Every structure is written in C-alpha cells, then in structure tokens.
Amino acid sequence: MSHNSALAWRVWRLRPWNSNPLMRASDRWEALFRLLAVAVMLLAVPVAAAVGTATYSSSAERISVENAAKTEVPATVLTEPKQTVAAGPAQAAHFEAQIQWKRDGDFGKGTIEVRRDTKVGSTVHTWLGPDGLPGDPPQKPASAVTNGIGTGVALLIGVGFALLSLLWCVSQVLDRLHALRWESELRGLGRPIGT
C-alpha cells in the first residue's frame, strides 16, 4: 500500500460517522468541526470572488469619475524649490515650489512638488482637481484591479485565519478534556500507597 493510499485511509477512518466503538465522541465532534471548516472555506471562495468583483466595479467607477474631473495645465514656476522632506535611508528628499497657471482665462497659484533642479520661470505640467487646485495625477485603471483582488484575498485570508483559530481552540479544549479523563481513569486504576 502506497503512502498516499495509507494517508487517505487514515483520513477516511476519522470521519464523524465512523462506526468504530473505540472512537470517542469528542473525536467525532472534532472531525465534524473540521468538515464544517472545510465547507465554510469552500463557500468563502465564491463570496470572496463576489466581494472582490464588487470592489473592482466600484473602484473602477470612482477612478473614472475622479480622472474625468482632472485637467492637465502648463504652469510657470515662480519660486526656487524648497526642501520639505529631508532625504533618509529609505526615501528621497522632496522639494516644493510655487507655480502659476492660466485656465479658462483665469490665473491660479499653488504649490506643487517639483524636482530639485527646477528653475524659476520654467514650465511644468500639473493636474488640477475639480476645485481648480493642484492635485494628484489621474489614477491608473489597473489600481481598480489591485483593489478588487486585494479585497477578495484579504477576505479569504481572514476567513481562513478565523477558522484555523476556532479549530485550534476546539482542539485545545478537547485535548484538555481528554487529559482530565485520562487522569481520573488512571487514579481509579491505582491503589493508594500502603494498602
């Protein structure tokens, strides 16, 4: 008999409806909890897929609406770049400068992040949000895919962790009950010393 078939036979013998009289009731309950955990995990897969798809759809719609409200405009640098964040071991230094732009005949001013070597009077391109102030560039549509997949995987990991924790707790309680039963049975077998 191969190792795989022996393992499959041992797993089959642990089923809760096994007619073996030597199988304890607590072992049957533990096997039943394990089967329920597998069933819940299998049911969690399509639920996680549905939640991930819904997250993707809402993220894609939100990104599309936000990107449609942003406009790229050329702007003129008014001040020398000023360091706002010092360089560290894990990050580069950040510099900001004031800029001025013209949009629909109106001038606007703001502060944006620029490169260190940006010169006063040079032209940079910036993105304006719906409020007319400089903001972040448009998000890539691929980030909606990342949000959807991340949500689905996080849900599966959370369900799996919760089930493993529950199974561990059940196993610990049953092991403690087994130990107490063994201890009481062993006390009943032995005679007190001196008798």
Side-chain angles (χ1 to χ4, degrees), residues 153-175:
V153 169
L155 180 62
L156 275 179
I157 290 172
V159 169
F161 182 74
L163 288 173
L164 285 176
S165 298
L166 180 64
L167 285 175
W168 182 81
C169 290
V170 167
S171 176
Q172 293 298 311
V173 167
L174 292 177
D175 287 347

Side-chain angles (χ1 to χ4, degrees), residues 67-190:
N67 288 351
K70 295 180 180 180
T71 307
E72 185 179 24
V73 294
T76 304
V77 178
L78 300 176
T79 60
E80 289 288 331
K82 186 184 280 185
Q83 186 172 356
T84 57
V85 176
Q91 67 181 9
H94 294 272
F95 294 87
E96 288 184 352
Q98 284 192 352
I99 59 168
Q100 181 179 17
W101 64 87
K102 185 177 183 180
R103 178 180 175 199
D104 299 331
D106 294 327
F107 285 97
K109 285 186 179 180
T111 303
I112 64 166
E113 188 174 326
V114 295
R115 293 190 343 215
R116 179 182 196 163
D117 59 351
T118 305
K119 303 291 183 202
V120 174
S122 62
T123 300
V124 294
H125 290 273
T126 187
W127 288 92
L128 301 179
D131 56 358
L133 298 175
D136 295 328
Q139 284 186 316
K140 296 179 181 175
S143 62
V145 175
T146 306
N147 289 344
I149 292 172
T151 301
V153 169
L155 180 62
L156 275 179
I157 290 172
V159 169
F161 182 74
L163 288 173
L164 285 176
S165 298
L166 180 64
L167 285 175
W168 182 81
C169 290
V170 167
S171 176
Q172 293 298 311
V173 167
L174 292 177
D175 287 347
R176 182 70 180 137
L177 290 175
H178 293 163
L180 290 172
R181 177 178 270 172
W182 275 105
E183 188 177 330
S184 69
E185 288 179 8
L186 285 174
R187 271 197 217 124
L189 290 177

Side-chain angles (χ1 to χ4, degrees), residues 12-13 20 29-30 33 35 56 63 76 78 91 93 95 109 124 129 141 165-166 179:
W12 176 250
R13 287 189 305 196
N20 187 342
W29 281 107
E30 187 172 4
F33 281 130
L35 283 175
Y56 162 75
I63 288 171
T76 304
L78 300 176
Q91 67 181 9
F95 294 87
K109 285 186 179 180
V124 294
S165 298
L166 180 64

Side-chain angles (χ1 to χ4, degrees), residues 51-72:
V51 170
T53 302
T55 302
Y56 162 75
S57 298
S58 65
S59 292
E61 184 178 337
R62 179 185 49 79
I63 288 171
S64 176
V65 168
E66 287 178 2
N67 288 351
K70 295 180 180 180
T71 307
E72 185 179 24

